[in-house]
Amino acid sequence: MRIIFVTPYIPSRIRVRPFQLIKALSAAHEISLVALLCDEYERGLVGDVATYCASVDLVPLPRIRAYTNCLRALPTRLPLRVAYYQSPSFIKRIQHVINARSIDIVHGELIKVMPALRTVGIRQRLPVLYDSVDCISWYLEQQRSSAHNPLKKAFIATELKKMRLYEPAMLAGVDRVAITSQHDREVLLSLGVAPEHVQVVPNGVDLAYFTPPVGPRDSDALVFCAKLDYYPNSQAILDFCREVLPRIWEQRPQVRLTIVGNNPPLAVRALGADKRITVTGYVADTRPYLGAASLALAPLLVAAGMQNKVLEALAMGTPLVATPGSCRSLQVKDGEHLLVAEGARDYANAVLKLLASNELARRLGQAGRGYVERYHSWDAAATILNRLYEEMQAHRGQRDQDAALVLK
């Protein structure tokens, strides 16, 4: 099949889900990619994914245009996280690639590209698969619950009200919906999305790329690897440093923390004022940091879908301490594959427990690696998508035959 991937950013080892799916699917299909270019630095990431694509088209989205989109959407029912990414040039480029490359299936990722998917699907009469990744309404519900600022809480509540109407309405207009976890699927169904419409396609992990280190790990070294311009990640590490880390330092003042990820906000950068905290910013390869650390952190307060940061740490054999939400969508067990803790005191105690026991750290690291080897393969995810593509083509073919009979 000829498949067009439509994304609001360039798939890469930072934006790992579409990158790995394109890589796995390219063995059997011709993949074309059309992506928005919202940040110029992402242009340098295109080389890796281009290896697996027959064509790559990038459509710049100037910030002034994006902000204007949001201003126009304020009095409407359109959520701002959708309005921001609207681009007529994006739709035109998608249509051009569809025609030029005789595309069979449209595969779009995230609610941000939904207006383009709907427009193209209707105009081109092509099957459309929408990869929701997470349930956005559920994500916003968690954001509202965790917000302390009254103005911010009110703003999120407004967006949540819009999204609860917008999300199920848009999902009903595509042929199939993929999502990373059963929990998020159930939340979508509670919004009125048809059960037969939604299929869980879990995240995988590149087990050949993320492998446990051979040498010893640094003692008393914590690491947090995440995309730091994503609010739940920056919120999580700021809360950890404010509420949890001081409790750890009371007993082990030598503990050091490395925060790894692109575009850290100013508040996260400021954490580096303490010499025991290092904020790296963007790195091309997170493996040296995961491989050197005594343990990895997943302290998310707001979490939807399946967390790649958790899977990658487990794949590296790095002992992990996670909040319940960070691993809700996985089949891991507390005390067997990782430690699960919630609240500042319990989270700090879990970290201290791991730092104090080399045997526990070794056992969890081995079990975590074994877990991802068993349950999280990108090839398995691609197999599910292949089945969905075939179903969509067959369904669309039958509809065209029925329409032809009616015309006769």
Side-chain angles (χ1 to χ4, degrees):
M1 294 184 200
R2 295 184 179 91
I3 303 167
I4 184 171
F5 263 67
V6 178
T7 61
Y9 49 70
I10 297 172
S12 67
R13 293 195 181 277
I14 296 174
R15 314 279 195 170
V16 66
R17 180 174 170 89
F19 173 80
Q20 292 293 350
L21 291 176
I22 288 171
K23 180 180 176 182
L25 290 164
S26 67
H29 306 288
E30 180 182 289
I31 308 294
S32 297
L33 171 66
V34 179
L36 284 170
L37 184 67
C38 299
D39 293 293
E40 191 59 32
Y41 83 90
E42 288 195 346
R43 195 182 294 275
L45 305 176
V46 77
D48 285 344
V49 73
T51 302
Y52 306 105
C53 295
S55 67
V56 175
D57 288 75
L58 305 181
V59 181
L61 179 65
R63 290 194 178 182
I64 186 64
R65 173 59 187 265
Y67 293 151
T68 301
N69 289 343
C70 290
L71 286 173
R72 289 174 175 168
L74 280 174
T76 74
R77 294 184 177 183
L78 185 65
L80 296 188
R81 67 176 51 241
V82 178
Y84 184 99
Y85 295 91
Q86 288 191 307
S87 166
S89 299
F90 191 42
I91 294 173
K92 288 179 182 178
R93 188 70 60 86
I94 296 167
Q95 290 177 317
H96 170 77
V97 174
I98 286 173
N99 294 326
R101 306 206 69 88
S102 301
I103 294 297
D104 301 308
I105 296 284
V106 179
H107 179 130
E109 189 190 74
L110 295 180
I111 200 79
K112 300 166 184 178
V113 303
M114 182 55 81
L117 291 186
R118 289 295 304 277
T119 301
V120 168
I122 292 170
R123 289 180 183 174
Q124 305 291 143
R125 292 177 54 80
L126 284 174
V128 175
L129 182 143
Y130 164 61
D131 188 354
S132 179
V133 183
D134 313 321
C135 174
I136 307 304
S137 298
W138 164 240
Y139 162 78
L140 289 171
E141 177 64 43
Q142 292 179 87
Q143 257 201 322
R144 184 182 66 172
S145 298
S146 66
H148 300 295
N149 183 295
L151 290 177
K152 188 170 187 177
K153 188 180 282 286
F155 171 76
I156 296 170
T158 300
E159 279 290 285
L160 174 59
K161 183 178 179 180
K162 291 182 177 183
M163 187 60 71
R164 281 178 173 161
L165 296 173
Y166 183 86
E167 191 169 25
M170 290 298 102
L171 269 57
V174 298
D175 295 86
R176 290 290 188 278
V177 178
I179 199 155
T180 55
S181 77
Q182 183 61 33
H183 178 273
D184 282 61
R185 179 179 184 272
E186 290 170 0
V187 180
L188 277 183
L189 300 188
S190 73
L191 295 175
V193 181
E196 66 277 7
H197 210 50
V198 188
Q199 173 70 55
V200 174
V201 182
N203 282 341
V205 63
D206 188 336
L207 295 170
Y209 184 81
F210 291 99
T211 58
V214 176
R217 295 177 180 271
D218 297 339
S219 60
D220 291 299
L222 315 181
V223 68
F224 178 68
C225 293
K227 185 176 174 291
L228 292 169
D229 55 2
Y230 180 54
Y231 172 74
N233 292 334
S234 58
Q235 176 200 38
I237 199 60
L238 287 168
D239 182 80
F240 174 84
C241 290
R242 181 174 58 249
E243 304 293 339
V244 182
L245 193 51
R247 295 173 182 269
I248 295 171
W249 277 338
E250 285 179 6
Q251 297 189 41
R252 297 180 79 103
Q254 71 274 25
V255 165
R256 289 160 288 114
L257 168 64
T258 302
I259 303 169
V260 181
N262 59 310
N263 290 342
L266 289 176
V268 174
R269 292 180 187 273
L271 298 173
D274 190 304
K275 293 182 179 180
R276 293 170 291 185
I277 299 177
T278 300
V279 182
T280 68
Y282 169 76
V283 299
D285 189 351
T286 60
R287 291 175 298 175
Y289 299 92
L290 287 169
S294 305
L295 63 90
L297 306 169
L300 274 71
L301 305 176
V302 174
M306 193 168 287
Q307 304 297 316
N308 289 306
K309 63 182 74 63
V310 171
L311 295 177
E312 290 167 2
L314 294 175
M316 290 289 295
T318 306
L320 181 72
V321 180
T323 53
S326 300
C327 55
R328 180 189 297 112
S329 60
L330 306 180
Q331 301 176 58
V332 291
K333 295 181 180 179
D334 179 25
E336 181 177 337
H337 305 104
L338 74 175
L339 295 184
V340 179
E342 191 169 27
R345 179 179 299 174
D346 288 347
Y347 202 98
N349 288 341
V351 171
L352 290 166
K353 181 180 179 180
L354 256 180
L355 292 176
S357 175
N358 291 333
E359 174 57 27
L360 176 61
R362 182 197 63 79
R363 178 169 59 80
L364 292 182
Q366 289 181 350
R369 171 71 187 190
Y371 165 79
V372 293
E373 288 176 344
R374 182 177 181 183
Y375 291 106
H376 293 279
S377 159
W378 285 116
D379 287 338
T383 298
I384 299 172
L385 287 176
N386 277 323
R387 175 173 57 78
L388 293 177
Y389 295 154
E390 290 170 1
E391 289 176 359
M392 288 192 296
Q393 273 209 317
H395 184 63
R396 183 59 62 99
Q398 184 60 52
R399 280 199 295 185
D400 289 345
Q401 288 182 23
D402 293 344
L405 288 173
V406 170
L407 290 174
K408 288 180 180 180

